[in-house]
Amino acid sequence: MENTAGSNPQSNGFTEKLKSWLSWSWTYVCFIWFGMVLIMIYVLWSPLKLQETLASASVFLNTLTPKFYVALTGTSSLISGLILIFEWWYFRKYGTSFIEQVSVSHLRPLLGGVESSSATGLFTSINGETELRPSVSECKVWRNPLNLFRGAEYNRYTWVTGKEPLTYYDMNLSAQDHQTFFTGDTPQLRPEDAVMQKAWRERNPQARIRAAYQALEMNQESVFFLSTIILNAVLMSCAAAYVLLAEEEATTITEAERLFRKALSIGKCLYSAQRHRNRNINLLVYIKRRLAMCARKLGRVKEAVKMMRDLMKEFPLLGMLNIHENLLEALLELQAYADVQAVLAKYDDISLPKSATICYTSALLKARAVSDKFSPEAASRRGLSSAEMNAVEAIHRAVEFNPHVPKYLLEMKSLILPPEHILKRGDSEAVAYAFFHLQHWKRAEGALNLLHCTWEGTFRLIPYPLEKGHLFYPYPGCTETADRELLPSFHEVSVYPKKELPFFILFTAGLCSFTAMLAMLTHQFPELMGVFAKAVSTSTTGSYSLPLLY
C-alpha cells in the first residue's frame, strides 16, 4: 500500500503535465499544425501524384448513377435518425445529452477545461453577498416523516398494480437507517444481532421476515442464561425484530399496531434500564411515532395528536426527526387551525431548516382567511387587500421553496405513493406533501383557486433560479438526479427549471431531416439535383466538381 501511495504523486504529476501541455498546444499551436499540413500537401503534391488521383476520382464519380446518391443520402438520414432517437431517449431518462456528457467528461479535461464533477460556484445571495453554491454531494436526502408501511400499504399497491412503488436506492437508505437506529452497540456482536443486521440488508421481503422470526427464536432460547448487559442487547434485537415484522409482514394497520405495541413494551424496559444509550432512545421514539401514525390512520386522530405532543415534550432535542410535520398533518385533519398556527410559530423560524410542509401549511392558513371571497376579476379591478397580499406572498414563498408542489395540488400531474426518503425542494418532497395534504387544501374553500391564480407569478420574481434566489438560497441543481433515484421509473420526474433541448438533439434532428429531404429530391428529380450538385461543387472547389447525375 505504501509503495502504491508513494507512486501516485508521480503519476498524477505526469498526467497533469500532459493535460497542461495538450491544452497549451491545442490553444496556441493549432494554426502551426494547420500550416504544416498545408506545407506537407504542397511538398507531396507531385511525388504522390495527387492531381492525377483527383482526376481519376472525378472520372469515378462520373460513372455513379443517381441510385448511389439516393442510397448515400438515405443511409445518412437513417443513421442520423437512429442517433436522434437514442439521444432523445437518453435525455428523457437522464436529463442530459449523451454526446454532450461524453464530451464534457472525457474531452474537456484533455483540452484543459474545468472538470464537470464539481458543481460548486459563486453566486449572489439575498443580501448581495457572494456565497458558495452547494455541490451535488451536499444535496441531503431526508427520511420522509410520513412514510407509509411497507406491508400494509406499499405491498398492497404492488399486489393490485404489479408495480414497485419503492426503488432499490430508497430501500437501501431505509436499511442503513434501521441498522444505525436499532442495532445494538455491544462490544461483542451476538448471533441474534448479526441476524437482524442481515435482515435489514436483505433485498427480498420474505428473507427479511424469516430473519426476524429467527432472531425472535434465538432470543427466546437464550434470554434465561444471559447477564444484564447482554440481556439488554438481546431485548433490543427482539424489539427490532417486532419492528421489522410490523413494517414488513403486517398486511393491515391494525396488525401493525399490535406488533408495535409488543415492541413498545420491550423498548420501555430498555429505556428505563439504560437511559444513556442513544439507540434505546432511537428505538423507543421510532416505535411511539409509528404507533401515533397507526392511530392517525385508524381514525383516532385526537389520540395521535396527544401521542405526538407527548413525544415532542419528552424528547425535545430530536427535532431532526421532524415529528412536528406529523403533528401538523393531524391537526389539519382536526381543523384545529389555531393549534396549527402555534406549531408554525415555533418551527417556521429563520434559523431552522424549512420544508414544503412548513411553507405550504403557512400559505394554506393565510389563503384560507381570504380564499372563500377571492375573485380574480374583482381583485384586478380594486387591487389586492392587505390580507390577500399576505396570502399571495405566502404562496410565492412556498412555490419558491418547492416549485413542484402546485401541479400536484392542482391535479395537473398524477400522484403516486410517496417514497420513504425525500429530497427537500425536490419532486420527491412535492409528491410526499401533496399525497397527505391535498385533502386539507380541498377542504379550505377557494384555497386551490387562489393557488391556481397566483402560483406562476413566483417565476417572474426569480427568472434565474439556479443563480439567485429571492427569499431562499438559489435552487439546487442536483435535485433531478437524486429524485430519479428516489422515485419509481414509471413516474415522470418534475424538472425545475425546465431544461431546453440539448444542442446535439437539435443538430441530429436537422441533419436527419436535411439528408432525408436530399434523398427524396434525388430520387424524384435526378437531373435537376445533378445540375444543383454540379453548381454547388463548382462554386466551392473550382475546377474539380461533382459530375452530373444523369
Side-chain angles (χ1 to χ4, degrees), residues 91-95 167 479-489 493 495:
F91 174 74
R92 294 286 294 177
K93 186 172 183 180
Y94 299 104
T167 63
T479 57
E480 180 185 359
T481 303
D483 281 331
R484 290 185 187 276
E485 295 287 340
L486 292 171
L487 297 170
S489 58
V493 176
V495 179

PDB file of all heavy atoms in Angstrom, residues 91-95 167 479-489 493 495:
ATOM      1  N   PHE A  91     -32.011  11.621 -23.117  1.00  0.00           N
ATOM      2  CA  PHE A  91     -32.370  12.899 -22.485  1.00  0.00           C
ATOM      3  C   PHE A  91     -33.621  12.753 -21.612  1.00  0.00           C
ATOM      4  O   PHE A  91     -33.698  13.322 -20.519  1.00  0.00           O
ATOM      5  CB  PHE A  91     -32.603  13.956 -23.566  1.00  0.00           C
ATOM      6  CG  PHE A  91     -33.108  15.265 -23.045  1.00  0.00           C
ATOM      7  CD1 PHE A  91     -32.262  16.132 -22.375  1.00  0.00           C
ATOM      8  CD2 PHE A  91     -34.440  15.641 -23.228  1.00  0.00           C
ATOM      9  CE1 PHE A  91     -32.730  17.348 -21.884  1.00  0.00           C
ATOM     10  CE2 PHE A  91     -34.906  16.846 -22.748  1.00  0.00           C
ATOM     11  CZ  PHE A  91     -34.046  17.701 -22.076  1.00  0.00           C
ATOM     12  N   ARG A  92     -34.606  11.999 -22.074  1.00  0.00           N
ATOM     13  CA  ARG A  92     -35.827  11.808 -21.300  1.00  0.00           C
ATOM     14  C   ARG A  92     -35.562  11.015 -20.024  1.00  0.00           C
ATOM     15  O   ARG A  92     -36.207  11.226 -19.005  1.00  0.00           O
ATOM     16  CB  ARG A  92     -36.869  11.076 -22.146  1.00  0.00           C
ATOM     17  CG  ARG A  92     -37.361  11.864 -23.339  1.00  0.00           C
ATOM     18  CD  ARG A  92     -38.287  12.974 -22.929  1.00  0.00           C
ATOM     19  NE  ARG A  92     -39.531  12.459 -22.357  1.00  0.00           N
ATOM     20  CZ  ARG A  92     -40.488  13.217 -21.875  1.00  0.00           C
ATOM     21  NH1 ARG A  92     -40.345  14.534 -21.886  1.00  0.00           N
ATOM     22  NH2 ARG A  92     -41.590  12.685 -21.377  1.00  0.00           N
ATOM     23  N   LYS A  93     -34.594  10.092 -20.075  1.00  0.00           N
ATOM     24  CA  LYS A  93     -34.333   9.238 -18.923  1.00  0.00           C
ATOM     25  C   LYS A  93     -33.369   9.869 -17.937  1.00  0.00           C
ATOM     26  O   LYS A  93     -33.560   9.774 -16.717  1.00  0.00           O
ATOM     27  CB  LYS A  93     -33.783   7.892 -19.387  1.00  0.00           C
ATOM     28  CG  LYS A  93     -33.623   6.873 -18.258  1.00  0.00           C
ATOM     29  CD  LYS A  93     -33.267   5.500 -18.783  1.00  0.00           C
ATOM     30  CE  LYS A  93     -33.191   4.484 -17.639  1.00  0.00           C
ATOM     31  NZ  LYS A  93     -32.846   3.133 -18.127  1.00  0.00           N
ATOM     32  N   TYR A  94     -32.316  10.505 -18.454  1.00  0.00           N
ATOM     33  CA  TYR A  94     -31.271  11.017 -17.574  1.00  0.00           C
ATOM     34  C   TYR A  94     -31.189  12.537 -17.542  1.00  0.00           C
ATOM     35  O   TYR A  94     -30.393  13.099 -16.782  1.00  0.00           O
ATOM     36  CB  TYR A  94     -29.907  10.454 -17.979  1.00  0.00           C
ATOM     37  CG  TYR A  94     -29.838   8.950 -17.901  1.00  0.00           C
ATOM     38  CD1 TYR A  94     -29.891   8.157 -19.050  1.00  0.00           C
ATOM     39  CD2 TYR A  94     -29.749   8.303 -16.673  1.00  0.00           C
ATOM     40  CE1 TYR A  94     -29.836   6.781 -18.987  1.00  0.00           C
ATOM     41  CE2 TYR A  94     -29.694   6.932 -16.588  1.00  0.00           C
ATOM     42  CZ  TYR A  94     -29.736   6.170 -17.749  1.00  0.00           C
ATOM     43  OH  TYR A  94     -29.686   4.806 -17.675  1.00  0.00           O
ATOM     44  N   GLY A  95     -31.944  13.231 -18.382  1.00  0.00           N
ATOM     45  CA  GLY A  95     -31.969  14.677 -18.328  1.00  0.00           C
ATOM     46  C   GLY A  95     -30.782  15.374 -18.946  1.00  0.00           C
ATOM     47  O   GLY A  95     -30.557  16.557 -18.700  1.00  0.00           O
ATOM     48  N   THR A 167     -37.959   2.338  -4.932  1.00  0.00           N
ATOM     49  CA  THR A 167     -36.751   1.997  -5.675  1.00  0.00           C
ATOM     50  C   THR A 167     -35.774   1.279  -4.748  1.00  0.00           C
ATOM     51  O   THR A 167     -35.861   1.372  -3.518  1.00  0.00           O
ATOM     52  CB  THR A 167     -36.090   3.256  -6.242  1.00  0.00           C
ATOM     53  OG1 THR A 167     -35.672   4.101  -5.155  1.00  0.00           O
ATOM     54  CG2 THR A 167     -37.060   4.014  -7.133  1.00  0.00           C
ATOM     55  N   THR A 479     -31.265  18.312  -7.801  1.00  0.00           N
ATOM     56  CA  THR A 479     -32.497  17.646  -7.382  1.00  0.00           C
ATOM     57  C   THR A 479     -32.970  16.600  -8.382  1.00  0.00           C
ATOM     58  O   THR A 479     -33.491  15.557  -7.994  1.00  0.00           O
ATOM     59  CB  THR A 479     -33.609  18.683  -7.171  1.00  0.00           C
ATOM     60  OG1 THR A 479     -33.781  19.431  -8.387  1.00  0.00           O
ATOM     61  CG2 THR A 479     -33.254  19.640  -6.049  1.00  0.00           C
ATOM     62  N   GLU A 480     -32.788  16.863  -9.665  1.00  0.00           N
ATOM     63  CA  GLU A 480     -33.302  15.923 -10.669  1.00  0.00           C
ATOM     64  C   GLU A 480     -32.626  14.568 -10.552  1.00  0.00           C
ATOM     65  O   GLU A 480     -33.286  13.510 -10.592  1.00  0.00           O
ATOM     66  CB  GLU A 480     -33.099  16.499 -12.071  1.00  0.00           C
ATOM     67  CG  GLU A 480     -33.622  15.579 -13.165  1.00  0.00           C
ATOM     68  CD  GLU A 480     -33.302  16.094 -14.553  1.00  0.00           C
ATOM     69  OE1 GLU A 480     -32.692  17.175 -14.663  1.00  0.00           O
ATOM     70  OE2 GLU A 480     -33.656  15.406 -15.529  1.00  0.00           O
ATOM     71  N   THR A 481     -31.304  14.559 -10.408  1.00  0.00           N
ATOM     72  CA  THR A 481     -30.571  13.294 -10.312  1.00  0.00           C
ATOM     73  C   THR A 481     -30.998  12.502  -9.094  1.00  0.00           C
ATOM     74  O   THR A 481     -31.243  11.287  -9.170  1.00  0.00           O
ATOM     75  CB  THR A 481     -29.067  13.577 -10.257  1.00  0.00           C
ATOM     76  OG1 THR A 481     -28.684  14.332 -11.410  1.00  0.00           O
ATOM     77  CG2 THR A 481     -28.278  12.273 -10.222  1.00  0.00           C
ATOM     78  N   ALA A 482     -31.105  13.175  -7.933  1.00  0.00           N
ATOM     79  CA  ALA A 482     -31.496  12.478  -6.708  1.00  0.00           C
ATOM     80  C   ALA A 482     -32.944  11.990  -6.781  1.00  0.00           C
ATOM     81  O   ALA A 482     -33.257  10.885  -6.332  1.00  0.00           O
ATOM     82  CB  ALA A 482     -31.307  13.395  -5.505  1.00  0.00           C
ATOM     83  N   ASP A 483     -33.836  12.803  -7.352  1.00  0.00           N
ATOM     84  CA  ASP A 483     -35.239  12.395  -7.451  1.00  0.00           C
ATOM     85  C   ASP A 483     -35.412  11.195  -8.375  1.00  0.00           C
ATOM     86  O   ASP A 483     -36.291  10.356  -8.142  1.00  0.00           O
ATOM     87  CB  ASP A 483     -36.089  13.564  -7.955  1.00  0.00           C
ATOM     88  CG  ASP A 483     -36.397  14.577  -6.860  1.00  0.00           C
ATOM     89  OD1 ASP A 483     -36.455  14.166  -5.688  1.00  0.00           O
ATOM     90  OD2 ASP A 483     -36.560  15.768  -7.169  1.00  0.00           O
ATOM     91  N   ARG A 484     -34.604  11.096  -9.403  1.00  0.00           N
ATOM     92  CA  ARG A 484     -34.705   9.934 -10.296  1.00  0.00           C
ATOM     93  C   ARG A 484     -34.281   8.655  -9.584  1.00  0.00           C
ATOM     94  O   ARG A 484     -34.717   7.554  -9.955  1.00  0.00           O
ATOM     95  CB  ARG A 484     -33.846  10.147 -11.545  1.00  0.00           C
ATOM     96  CG  ARG A 484     -34.389  11.214 -12.475  1.00  0.00           C
ATOM     97  CD  ARG A 484     -33.593  11.319 -13.764  1.00  0.00           C
ATOM     98  NE  ARG A 484     -34.027  12.452 -14.568  1.00  0.00           N
ATOM     99  CZ  ARG A 484     -35.061  12.435 -15.400  1.00  0.00           C
ATOM    100  NH1 ARG A 484     -35.756  11.315 -15.534  1.00  0.00           N
ATOM    101  NH2 ARG A 484     -35.391  13.512 -16.091  1.00  0.00           N
ATOM    102  N   GLU A 485     -33.425   8.786  -8.571  1.00  0.00           N
ATOM    103  CA  GLU A 485     -33.036   7.622  -7.781  1.00  0.00           C
ATOM    104  C   GLU A 485     -34.097   7.260  -6.745  1.00  0.00           C
ATOM    105  O   GLU A 485     -34.264   6.091  -6.409  1.00  0.00           O
ATOM    106  CB  GLU A 485     -31.708   7.901  -7.065  1.00  0.00           C
ATOM    107  CG  GLU A 485     -30.519   8.085  -7.988  1.00  0.00           C
ATOM    108  CD  GLU A 485     -30.066   6.774  -8.609  1.00  0.00           C
ATOM    109  OE1 GLU A 485     -30.412   5.712  -8.057  1.00  0.00           O
ATOM    110  OE2 GLU A 485     -29.380   6.814  -9.649  1.00  0.00           O
ATOM    111  N   LEU A 486     -34.815   8.260  -6.244  1.00  0.00           N
ATOM    112  CA  LEU A 486     -35.786   8.027  -5.179  1.00  0.00           C
ATOM    113  C   LEU A 486     -37.157   7.619  -5.701  1.00  0.00           C
ATOM    114  O   LEU A 486     -37.880   6.880  -5.020  1.00  0.00           O
ATOM    115  CB  LEU A 486     -35.932   9.287  -4.318  1.00  0.00           C
ATOM    116  CG  LEU A 486     -34.718   9.688  -3.470  1.00  0.00           C
ATOM    117  CD1 LEU A 486     -34.935  11.056  -2.845  1.00  0.00           C
ATOM    118  CD2 LEU A 486     -34.454   8.657  -2.385  1.00  0.00           C
ATOM    119  N   LEU A 487     -37.547   8.113  -6.871  1.00  0.00           N
ATOM    120  CA  LEU A 487     -38.888   7.874  -7.392  1.00  0.00           C
ATOM    121  C   LEU A 487     -38.880   6.736  -8.404  1.00  0.00           C
ATOM    122  O   LEU A 487     -37.885   6.542  -9.118  1.00  0.00           O
ATOM    123  CB  LEU A 487     -39.427   9.153  -8.036  1.00  0.00           C
ATOM    124  CG  LEU A 487     -39.609  10.332  -7.072  1.00  0.00           C
ATOM    125  CD1 LEU A 487     -39.920  11.611  -7.819  1.00  0.00           C
ATOM    126  CD2 LEU A 487     -40.717  10.025  -6.066  1.00  0.00           C
ATOM    127  N   PRO A 488     -39.968   5.968  -8.502  1.00  0.00           N
ATOM    128  CA  PRO A 488     -40.004   4.820  -9.420  1.00  0.00           C
ATOM    129  C   PRO A 488     -39.912   5.246 -10.871  1.00  0.00           C
ATOM    130  O   PRO A 488     -40.209   6.395 -11.235  1.00  0.00           O
ATOM    131  CB  PRO A 488     -41.350   4.155  -9.102  1.00  0.00           C
ATOM    132  CG  PRO A 488     -42.178   5.236  -8.472  1.00  0.00           C
ATOM    133  CD  PRO A 488     -41.219   6.113  -7.739  1.00  0.00           C
ATOM    134  N   SER A 489     -39.524   4.311 -11.713  1.00  0.00           N
ATOM    135  CA  SER A 489     -39.268   4.619 -13.126  1.00  0.00           C
ATOM    136  C   SER A 489     -40.539   4.985 -13.878  1.00  0.00           C
ATOM    137  O   SER A 489     -40.479   5.695 -14.884  1.00  0.00           O
ATOM    138  CB  SER A 489     -38.586   3.426 -13.803  1.00  0.00           C
ATOM    139  OG  SER A 489     -39.389   2.260 -13.682  1.00  0.00           O
ATOM    140  N   VAL A 493     -40.553  12.412 -13.623  1.00  0.00           N
ATOM    141  CA  VAL A 493     -39.973  13.328 -12.642  1.00  0.00           C
ATOM    142  C   VAL A 493     -40.157  14.771 -13.111  1.00  0.00           C
ATOM    143  O   VAL A 493     -39.900  15.108 -14.268  1.00  0.00           O
ATOM    144  CB  VAL A 493     -38.478  13.014 -12.423  1.00  0.00           C
ATOM    145  CG1 VAL A 493     -37.842  14.034 -11.483  1.00  0.00           C
ATOM    146  CG2 VAL A 493     -38.315  11.608 -11.869  1.00  0.00           C
ATOM    147  N   VAL A 495     -39.077  18.502 -13.417  1.00  0.00           N
ATOM    148  CA  VAL A 495     -37.765  19.144 -13.518  1.00  0.00           C
ATOM    149  C   VAL A 495     -37.947  20.657 -13.451  1.00  0.00           C
ATOM    150  O   VAL A 495     -38.806  21.221 -14.134  1.00  0.00           O
ATOM    151  CB  VAL A 495     -37.049  18.758 -14.830  1.00  0.00           C
ATOM    152  CG1 VAL A 495     -35.690  19.445 -14.931  1.00  0.00           C
ATOM    153  CG2 VAL A 495     -36.882  17.253 -14.918  1.00  0.00           C
TER     154      VAL A 495
END
